[in-house]
Amino acid sequence: MQGRLSAVLNETAAQMSRDDRRYWTIVAIVLLVKTILAITYPISGDEAEYWDCSRHFDWSYLDHTPLLFWLMIPARAIFGETRLAVRTVSLLAGLAFAFILRPLVRRLGAEERATETWLLLNAMPLFFLGTIYCWTDVLLLLAYASATLSMIEVAQGNRRGWWYIGLSFGLGLLAKIMIGLAAPALLVMLRSPEARRDLKTPRPYLAALLSVVITIPVWYWSIVHHWENFRFQFSERHHLQEFQPRLVLEFLISNILLTTPFVAAAIVVAIIIWKGKREVTGQILLCAAAVPFFAFLYASTRERAGAHWAAATLILGAVVAGITPFRGKSVLVVCGAVTTALVTVLIGVLAVSPEVVMDKEWSYGGNPVRVSTSYLTYAVGNEAIAQEVLRRLQPGEMMASENYTNVHLFSFLTGGKLPTRLAWLKKNGKSGLPSLYWYRPEELEGHNFLFVSDKGGMDDQLREIFASISEQPPIVIKRGTKVLRTMRVVRCVDLRKPDGVFTLLPRG
């Protein structure tokens, strides 16, 4: 009997070892593919802005909390001013997801489905491309998943989970303010007798204190800058409109596209039939997943909600789909993976050669922002433009533009050699761009600039803030004899009024 038990245990251990090897082999292959894509795909304007933020260390930033930019600093020290350095944080966040996923599915009673769940996650463009592309949400989603796992651990009697909850919420707020949407799941967690008993100990309150201490940099920046970041996020940024059914439909369709219709269908079916939702742990997971979706679904009744705002819902929903067996799921996952692969190739083609579709007129006149193929113009010839601007600069001169993509991307494409400054000439009121908080007026006054823009009609504004301006030969990007992009260049001498245009910081 003892020998038979020993044989069963040895066989189980060998099986677990095979499962582990298979899981981590697939994780490693996926990471390798993502790394190759991260090195290959050109940097976008938003990614270049994040890179520039990491070069201007601060406690926090107007429209962003600082964790992504802080973590990019050691990546840049290792890999230099490269695409890989910019995207290293996202790649590592994707790897961290793999470490969180194993204990999460195990505590949900489906450890044997970890590999299946990992493949399903990567069958979604949101997760596959989102753990390549540099964006602040990738760390938010990682913290959100970690917080969900930690709450499930506490509900199952693991007291150390309280510390992980405090750590997840603290780092989550350093990643993005929207981590607060995970808080309602704490109330569901307290349905567990084990979690309620812990309220009589100091551990939950010390964990909450840990969370607050971690977020001190954000509060410090807020106090110094008169709460501009929170006011921007919750009031000045949003312009409520009358109820528009089209905006709700846009939000729903965009979430389906982020997951592919196939994986979206798998998520819906899985949530309907999943038996684990009857338990407290399952209810924690479903609450954490549902809150972002319904919060932004409501927001979409009055404004255009970002397609990625409910990303936490889609990620946790994919976990439910991964651990729930049902007929036809493998076909849906394969179709989702093929679709994601095609989307990845298409994005790569458009990023490298956007001119292939620029002649194909297409636009969607949604409110308030129109989407059009004409915007691909901004992806053409950026390296050539950046090098030409660098060549034209006179000693002591800097480049300026009203377009934040030009400002940050041109600097990145010259390895940081091109000194650039944003001139906020496009609209009245305050901008959500962090670079307007990097320099005080005294540091900018008297400087000369080469103003570079895809647009005209700003001469009067430039004359108001500079002693003189003079038109320079434009920078023209051609393919053969066809002109694809023309950049206007204006030499601006002696900046006299930087306040409110080049900086939002006070004097002194």
Side-chain angles (χ1 to χ4, degrees):
M1 182 69 180
Q2 185 177 359
R4 182 176 180 182
L5 178 61
S6 176
V8 170
L9 291 175
N10 290 335
E11 183 179 351
T12 301
Q15 179 64 40
M16 290 178 62
S17 178
R18 286 195 296 270
D19 288 344
D20 286 343
R21 286 197 297 270
R22 182 178 65 165
Y23 180 78
W24 291 113
T25 297
I26 293 175
V27 169
I29 293 172
V30 172
L31 179 60
L32 177 61
V33 172
K34 291 179 179 180
T35 302
I36 294 171
L37 293 175
I39 296 171
T40 304
Y41 283 16
I43 290 292
S44 71
D46 285 343
E47 289 179 299
E49 180 194 0
Y50 302 153
W51 164 81
D52 223 351
C53 285
S54 76
R55 299 200 305 153
H56 295 82
F57 178 85
D58 204 344
W59 294 107
S60 192
Y61 302 81
L62 178 65
D63 192 27
H64 307 290
T65 42
L67 187 58
L68 174 67
F69 315 135
W70 291 354
L71 295 178
M72 202 184 297
I73 294 173
R76 289 175 40 238
I78 296 171
F79 300 113
E81 313 300 355
T82 63
R83 299 170 184 174
L84 181 58
V86 173
R87 292 166 173 157
T88 291
V89 177
S90 292
L91 292 170
L92 292 180
L95 180 60
F97 264 104
F99 282 95
I100 289 175
L101 186 61
R102 292 298 296 275
L104 179 59
V105 297
R106 182 177 68 249
R107 289 190 173 274
L108 293 169
E111 183 176 11
E112 72 282 0
R113 297 190 180 277
T115 301
E116 184 178 337
T117 306
W118 177 251
L119 290 172
L120 190 146
L121 277 169
N122 283 281
M124 302 191 300
L126 170 69
F127 188 85
F128 183 80
L129 295 173
T131 48
I132 299 173
Y133 184 80
C134 176
W135 60 324
T136 54
D137 285 59
V138 71
L139 293 176
L140 167 69
L141 295 174
L142 179 61
Y144 204 99
S146 176
T148 304
L149 169 61
S150 303
M151 287 185 275
I152 290 173
E153 289 178 335
V154 169
Q156 293 180 340
N158 182 1
R159 290 186 166 184
R160 287 183 300 178
W162 286 105
W163 297 111
Y164 299 136
I165 290 174
L167 192 64
S168 298
F169 275 93
L171 292 176
L173 192 137
L174 286 184
K176 202 163 187 177
I177 294 173
M178 292 304 133
I179 187 64
L181 293 174
L186 290 168
L187 300 177
V188 180
M189 179 192 71
L190 292 177
R191 294 188 60 219
S192 164
E194 290 83 356
R196 290 199 301 273
R197 279 197 297 268
D198 286 345
L199 294 179
K200 299 177 182 179
T201 71
R203 187 174 283 105
Y205 312 103
L206 292 175
L209 179 61
L210 171 65
S211 182
V212 172
V213 170
I214 291 173
T215 62
I216 283 177
V218 175
W219 307 115
Y220 175 77
W221 194 97
S222 299
I223 293 171
V224 170
H225 296 284
H226 310 291
W227 305 96
E228 290 290 351
N229 52 349
F230 286 97
R231 291 199 296 177
F232 177 80
Q233 287 285 345
F234 296 114
S235 60
E236 297 177 8
R237 183 179 183 180
H238 303 290
H239 304 284
L240 298 182
Q241 309 166 27
E242 294 182 358
F243 173 66
Q244 297 186 45
R246 183 174 67 174
L247 296 181
V248 178
L249 187 61
E250 281 182 15
F251 176 71
L252 295 175
I253 292 176
S254 64
N255 278 268
I256 292 173
L257 294 178
L258 286 177
T259 56
T260 75
F262 310 103
V263 177
I267 291 173
V268 172
V269 171
I271 290 176
I272 292 173
I273 68 174
W274 183 39
K275 297 179 180 179
K277 60 188 174 185
R278 301 170 186 172
E279 303 173 359
V280 173
T281 53
Q283 292 168 4
I284 292 171
L285 179 65
L286 290 179
C287 179
V291 170
F293 178 78
F294 287 107
F296 294 122
L297 180 65
Y298 173 76
S300 71
T301 64
R302 292 292 184 268
E303 62 176 318
R304 171 168 283 172
H308 62 285
W309 288 3
T313 295
L314 306 179
I315 296 298
L316 295 182
V319 172
V320 176
I323 64 177
T324 305
F326 61 87
R327 182 176 297 178
K329 184 175 73 171
S330 58
V331 174
L332 293 175
V333 174
V334 170
C335 290
V338 171
T339 303
T340 298
L342 293 175
V343 169
T344 302
V345 172
L346 176 62
I347 291 175
V349 170
L350 293 179
V352 175
S353 302
E355 59 270 21
V356 298
V357 295
M358 282 171 53
D359 291 336
K360 304 183 187 305
E361 291 294 333
W362 177 87
S363 66
Y364 171 69
N367 183 33
V369 180
R370 185 173 69 92
V371 179
S372 171
T373 52
S374 63
Y375 290 126
L376 290 172
T377 301
Y378 298 112
V380 175
N382 284 309
E383 292 193 25
I385 295 169
Q387 292 298 330
E388 176 62 15
V389 172
L390 185 62
R391 186 189 69 81
R392 291 192 190 188
L393 281 189
Q394 297 178 354
E397 200 171 41
M398 294 183 284
M399 190 209 95
S401 180
E402 91 294 349
N403 186 304
Y404 84 96
T405 294
N406 292 341
V407 168
H408 303 297
L409 188 57
F410 294 171
S411 182
F412 173 81
L413 293 174
T414 59
K417 296 177 183 177
L418 182 62
T420 60
R421 301 291 185 269
L422 176 68
W424 187 245
L425 298 170
K426 293 194 294 183
K427 61 180 76 172
N428 295 324
K430 291 193 174 181
S431 157
L433 300 171
S435 57
L436 297 179
Y437 286 81
W438 292 347
Y439 307 100
R440 293 195 177 274
E442 302 93 310
E443 300 176 78
L444 298 165
E445 282 180 325
H447 281 284
N448 300 331
F449 288 85
L450 206 58
F451 190 84
V452 180
S453 176
D454 293 89
K455 301 177 180 178
M458 290 174 283
D459 292 38
D460 291 341
Q461 293 169 286
L462 293 174
R463 289 191 184 96
E464 288 179 4
I465 60 176
F466 286 97
S468 65
I469 67 171
S470 58
E471 194 80 21
Q472 303 295 305
I475 300 173
V476 180
I477 301 298
K478 296 181 178 181
R479 292 291 184 270
T481 59
K482 183 177 181 180
V483 175
L484 298 179
R485 189 177 183 186
T486 301
M487 298 292 291
R488 186 181 180 219
V489 181
V490 180
R491 178 153 275 120
C492 304
V493 178
D494 188 10
L495 177 59
R496 295 183 174 181
K497 298 178 181 179
D499 309 71
V501 178
F502 281 84
T503 177
L504 295 178
L505 289 177
R507 291 178 176 268

